Amino acid sequence: KLFASDHPPKILVLYGSLRDRSFSRLLAEEASRILVHMGAEVRIFDPDGLPVFDNGRSVDHPKVQELRNLSVWSEGQ
């Protein structure tokens, strides 16, 4: 094996649309199902409530912290 691991790969799935039935969200959900079926641990980040970029003033916002934590947790996106 090139890269041996003692745990399933941790994959963060991202999408950008805020609509409930958007194609990008549906694709993200389907990709997640496939990745789980293949043995990965998957988390999907819901961008609803994520603030617009404001020169670093929103670093303490809960959605920004959630995304940062998920990015640190993940091994692939």
Side-chain angles (χ1 to χ4, degrees):
K1 291 181 180 179
L2 244 181
F3 299 100
S5 177
D6 60 351
H7 65 273
K10 298 175 182 178
I11 306 297
L12 173 59
V13 177
L14 303 167
Y15 63 92
S17 179
L18 298 177
R19 293 179 296 129
D20 286 338
R21 300 293 296 169
S22 75
F23 288 119
S24 63
R25 181 177 180 168
L26 292 172
L27 180 61
E29 290 170 353
E30 183 62 20
S32 296
R33 282 190 285 275
I34 292 168
L35 288 164
V36 167
H37 180 73
M38 294 175 72
E41 183 179 351
V42 178
R43 295 187 187 168
I44 300 174
F45 176 73
D46 180 355
D48 188 34
L50 187 66
V52 177
F53 177 74
D54 64 354
N55 289 324
R57 290 180 292 229
S58 62
V59 293
D60 294 327
H61 189 280
K63 288 300 281 191
V64 173
Q65 291 300 312
E66 178 186 357
L67 181 55
R68 283 178 182 233
N69 291 337
L70 286 170
S71 293
V72 169
W73 167 85
S74 72
E75 298 168 329
Q77 298 179 12

